[in-house]
Amino acid sequence: MRLLSYMGQWKSAAKEVLDRTAIVAKFLCLLHVTNNYLCSPTLVYGPSMLPTLNLTGDVVLAEHVSHKIGKVGTGDVVLVRSPVDPRRILTKRVVGMEGDTVSFYVDPMYSQTTVVPKGHVWIQGDNTYASSDSRHFGPVPYGLIQGKVFFRDYVFVVSEFFIRM
Amino acid sequence: MKILRIGSNRCKTQNKAYGPSMIPTFNLTGDMFLAERLSIKFGKVGPGDIVLLRSPESPRKVMVKRLLGLESHSVTYVVDPMNSDRCDTIVVPKGHVWVEGDNIYNSRDSRQFGPVPYSLLEGKVFCKIWPPKEFGSLMKSGMKDPDL
């Protein structure tokens, strides 16, 4: 008799556990989908985008919809997967789209002009003195763009829970 | 429902390939195959694998080609097989891969647009599912003769 009552308790407890787990799982899925396909807070650091972005780190909101519908253009700050190291994501500004003519300084005395080939973009950091970008590794394919930065988050504390690289 | 969607996106996708660049592995008119994405994320692709990659020339297009060389590999390829037998050798730069279609006479691949960044790879094809008489896993047997 006792055994039956224990089983009853276990059953209801197990059901509750499963329900709670299902809610957490659904929330995590929603978070995952939002982070990957809609909008995500990202921590960016490094000197290459001074003075726009901080050296020691800024949390920015990047949205992942524009580059899929082709709405990335000149002047946008984008997150780009590095063509040199596939595990790194860079934050740079798009200076030229395909077909544009781009001039850049190889060294302070000598400037060079190139036309951006089809399907590629030319990216440069705002801080040209300390940025490794298209001036070094050439135009990058548009398909490497991961998202467009549209907002800098000053509320660091809240975003700390959602930080992803 | 969301779990299913994430599972299928993370693990594998089903795709249809058409075009002449992968004859005889894939038909001109379209074959269906299964591709998985985990290998790419963990770096477990190697020469001889058939991969899905986003085209560096048209970002909306996803192509199916065979991977022939990873970074720092030395790749020898026939520059223009329709007109001459001239071969060229190139060392694949860091962070890039060299892809070629199986049908080198009619394929637009790394011989035209150069080595592609590794991040453009989207999946590794592991199994063909349509037409049913060609159902089966795609091993590395379609690889070109390295002595050529």
Side-chain angles (χ1 to χ4, degrees):
Chain A
M1 274 313 279
R2 268 240 185 107
L3 194 61
L4 273 169
S5 76
Y6 276 149
M7 272 174 60
Q9 278 177 345
W10 276 112
K11 208 168 148 190
S12 64
K15 188 172 183 314
E16 199 178 325
V17 165
L18 281 178
D19 279 341
R20 298 276 169 94
T21 314
I23 294 178
V24 171
K26 281 188 204 159
F27 170 70
L28 288 177
C29 286
L30 184 64
L31 192 64
H32 173 96
V33 170
T34 314
N35 264 350
N36 281 22
Y37 301 109
L38 285 178
C39 167
S40 69
T42 314
L43 177 68
V44 298
Y45 62 91
S48 65
M49 284 295 288
L50 288 167
T52 315
L53 298 172
N54 250 335
L55 172 67
T56 44
D58 254 339
V59 177
V60 297
L61 280 181
E63 48 98 356
H64 303 276
V65 177
S66 300
H67 69 102
K68 295 207 161 91
I69 54 176
K71 288 250 178 272
V72 172
T74 316
D76 292 336
V77 177
V78 290
L79 298 177
V80 174
R81 227 172 241 287
S82 164
V84 172
D85 183 2
R87 278 173 293 228
R88 268 183 65 192
I89 301 190
L90 317 169
T91 318
K92 305 283 176 203
R93 195 179 291 273
V94 174
V95 167
M97 301 293 291
E98 67 185 12
D100 289 348
T101 312
V102 171
S103 338
F104 57 98
Y105 281 96
V106 176
D107 63 59
M109 306 288 277
Y110 179 52
S111 92
Q112 208 173 326
T113 308
T114 46
V115 176
V116 182
K118 190 172 175 312
H120 288 66
V121 295
W122 190 271
I123 53 170
Q124 268 181 229
D126 283 350
N127 182 10
T128 47
Y129 302 103
S131 163
S132 129
D133 47 37
S134 285
R135 293 168 301 152
H136 308 102
F137 45 68
V140 304
Y142 185 96
L144 288 184
I145 296 180
Q146 305 284 296
K148 184 162 93 171
V149 172
F150 67 98
F151 193 73
R152 182 159 61 190
D153 212 336
Y154 292 102
V155 188
F156 195 95
V157 174
V158 172
S159 308
E160 243 179 20
F161 290 112
F162 302 99
I163 282 176
R164 276 174 173 244
M165 273 301 283
Chain B
M1 225 182 312
K2 283 194 196 88
I3 301 180
L4 279 178
R5 186 185 198 291
I6 289 170
S8 87
N9 258 344
R10 281 271 169 257
C11 301
K12 58 180 177 17
T13 72
Q14 190 178 313
N15 268 311
K16 184 172 154 87
Y18 62 92
S21 67
M22 286 293 286
I23 295 174
T25 317
F26 291 128
N27 256 330
L28 176 64
T29 44
D31 282 346
M32 294 195 77
F33 54 85
L34 288 177
E36 49 97 1
R37 294 175 195 251
L38 289 180
S39 301
I40 307 278
K41 293 217 184 319
F42 290 120
K44 295 248 176 276
V45 282
D49 290 334
I50 305 181
V51 291
L52 247 62
L53 67 144
R54 205 157 273 281
S55 163
E57 296 172 319
S58 339
R60 304 256 171 117
K61 234 174 63 172
V62 176
M63 358 190 254
V64 182
K65 301 284 173 204
R66 197 175 288 271
L67 192 94
L68 285 193
L70 294 172
E71 66 184 10
S72 75
H73 286 187
S74 182
V75 173
T76 308
Y77 61 99
V78 183
V79 178
D80 191 5
M82 294 282 257
N83 298 332
S84 78
D85 272 337
R86 187 169 72 93
C87 283
D88 220 352
T89 308
I90 189 174
V91 175
V92 182
K94 191 170 176 316
H96 289 67
V97 295
W98 186 270
V99 293
E100 274 186 41
D102 283 347
N103 181 14
I104 54 173
Y105 296 96
N106 197 351
S107 160
R108 201 163 164 77
D109 47 38
S110 285
R111 292 169 301 146
Q112 278 82 33
F113 47 68
V116 301
Y118 183 94
S119 316
L120 285 181
L121 297 181
E122 303 230 323
K124 181 166 106 172
V125 175
F126 65 94
C127 178
K128 191 150 106 159
I129 58 177
W130 190 269
K133 66 175 184 292
E134 287 177 41
F135 184 96
S137 74
L138 288 163
M139 304 292 279
K140 297 183 182 186
S141 56
M143 219 168 126
K144 293 194 314 201
D145 187 351
D147 293 331
L148 267 176

